[in-house]
Amino acid sequence: MVSAALLSAIAVGCFAAAARLRRARWPFRGPYVAVIAWQALGLAWGVSTIGALLAFGLAPYGRGVIGGLAALAADASAHGLLLTATAASPFGPAQVAAILLAFGLTLLLFCCLVASFVQVVRTRRRHRALLHLVGRDDPGVPGARILDHPAAAAYCLPGVLRSEVVISAGALEVLDSEELAAVIAHEHAHLRQRHDLVLLPFSSLKRAFPRLGTMREYYRTVSLLIEMCADDQARRERSARELATALMRFGERGATAPAGALAATADHTDVLARVRRLLQPGQGLTRAQSAAVLGSAALLMATTVSLWHLPM
């Protein structure tokens, strides 16, 4: 039962750490490190929550989560899955419920991850088909498809074999050539670093727990950090002022990007935060600070996984 208690403590701690991380200001100084911290917290929460349920349910075996699962599989193979319903079963009703809840949560998270991936792929496929019909190439805007729409919009559609950067006609009217190049560099950063895959686990958590507003807030927080990561990449090619000016122009005549796309602009408040960060860049995280966060994330994952092997 010790492992169940420790894993439960980690699960609760992950929620507390996520709430604290969402309110912290240092992630703006190191968005890459912050995204890794968010990934570690999300993964550790899932593994520890499922592990705590299994550790409690499989406690009669006295072999930990991994050993208990192996013993449960052997018993189920030898005696059938109804073993837990017999009088000779070592499991009480609460332990049976914990095991079923653990398998149910695992199935829910897996199905939501698959469903989110399938939905995004289908949405992007339909949008690419639409772009093939209404989009056009422009020699003056290499590396992007032009969509005849009056609202200013810029977004990318990631893909395995083919990715698209889409610029609306409205964006071409409000952006000068330098600003347009900065926006395209931002979108190409999304594609190179596959930020869509980084967001996928968080969108699946939002799907799994649709009534939890905290999940939506966490998704929005990670989305903002990913946009800042792309901003930092774009600043290596273009000036920060060019990108900030483009973001402000989008705010005046902006349009919502289609589902499945990563847009240069989204929520107005988030855009203002990005503009302030671009125009007034503060000192980034030091190497020691980055190492401390990454080391903590690695220690959290190693501890959570090792507790699955604790034979108590």
Side-chain angles (χ1 to χ4, degrees):
M1 299 295 285
V2 175
S3 59
L6 292 175
L7 286 167
S8 298
I10 290 177
V12 174
C14 286
F15 258 114
R20 190 178 182 87
L21 183 59
R22 188 175 71 86
R23 295 190 299 268
R25 304 307 300 173
W26 70 260
F28 286 9
R29 298 165 52 203
Y32 287 98
V33 175
V35 168
I36 294 175
W38 274 108
Q39 290 175 316
L41 284 176
L43 184 57
W45 173 81
V47 174
S48 61
T49 301
I50 295 170
L53 291 169
L54 289 175
F56 173 76
L58 300 172
Y61 288 121
R63 299 172 56 182
V65 177
I66 299 297
L69 285 173
L72 180 64
D75 282 347
S77 176
H79 305 289
L81 292 176
L82 295 179
L83 172 67
T84 55
T86 66
S89 170
F91 302 106
Q95 290 167 322
V96 173
I99 294 173
L100 293 177
L101 185 58
F103 282 109
L105 179 59
T106 303
L107 183 62
L108 173 65
L109 294 177
F110 177 76
C111 289
C112 287
L113 181 64
V114 173
S116 297
F117 178 78
V118 171
Q119 181 184 25
V120 168
V121 169
R122 288 179 176 175
T123 302
R124 289 173 184 167
R125 184 182 297 121
R126 289 195 298 267
H127 194 72
R128 284 194 185 90
L130 179 63
L131 282 176
H132 181 73
L133 295 175
V134 301
R136 58 181 173 85
D137 294 325
D138 188 333
V141 191
R145 294 277 288 176
I146 308 303
L147 185 64
D148 288 321
H149 194 283
Y155 56 89
C156 63
L157 290 171
V160 177
L161 298 178
R162 182 183 179 187
S163 299
E164 299 272 8
V165 173
V166 182
I167 306 293
S168 71
L172 296 180
E173 293 179 2
V174 300
L175 301 179
D176 61 28
S177 58
E178 289 78 13
E179 295 163 353
L180 180 61
V183 169
I184 293 177
H186 173 95
E187 298 304 331
H188 279 298
H190 279 316
L191 297 177
R192 284 195 307 270
Q193 300 185 356
R194 293 312 306 257
H195 289 157
D196 56 312
L197 298 181
V198 177
L199 271 176
L200 185 60
F202 297 95
S203 63
S204 65
L205 281 175
K206 187 175 64 170
R207 177 189 290 267
F209 306 102
R211 296 188 178 183
L212 288 181
T214 52
M215 292 299 178
R216 292 191 295 272
E217 288 298 321
Y218 295 162
Y219 176 84
R220 174 183 168 182
T221 300
V222 177
S223 298
L224 175 58
L225 290 173
I226 285 177
E227 292 300 328
M228 290 180 176
C229 290
D231 289 342
D232 288 347
Q233 286 294 313
R235 282 195 304 180
R236 297 181 178 181
E237 303 176 24
R238 313 296 306 185
S239 76
R241 183 169 295 277
E242 292 170 353
L243 182 56
T245 305
L247 292 176
M248 294 301 296
R249 294 189 191 280
F250 275 125
E252 299 172 358
R253 296 179 53 184
T256 303
L262 294 175
T265 58
D267 183 86
H268 183 66
T269 304
D270 292 347
V271 171
L272 290 179
R274 291 167 57 195
V275 169
R276 284 196 298 267
R277 181 174 179 270
L278 287 168
L279 297 180
Q280 300 174 354
Q283 183 179 5
L285 296 180
T286 65
R287 290 186 178 181
Q289 291 170 330
S290 298
V293 175
L294 296 176
S296 299
L299 179 61
L300 174 63
M301 289 307 308
T303 302
T304 304
V305 172
S306 66
L307 287 176
W308 277 53
H309 298 269
L310 187 65
M312 296 179 66

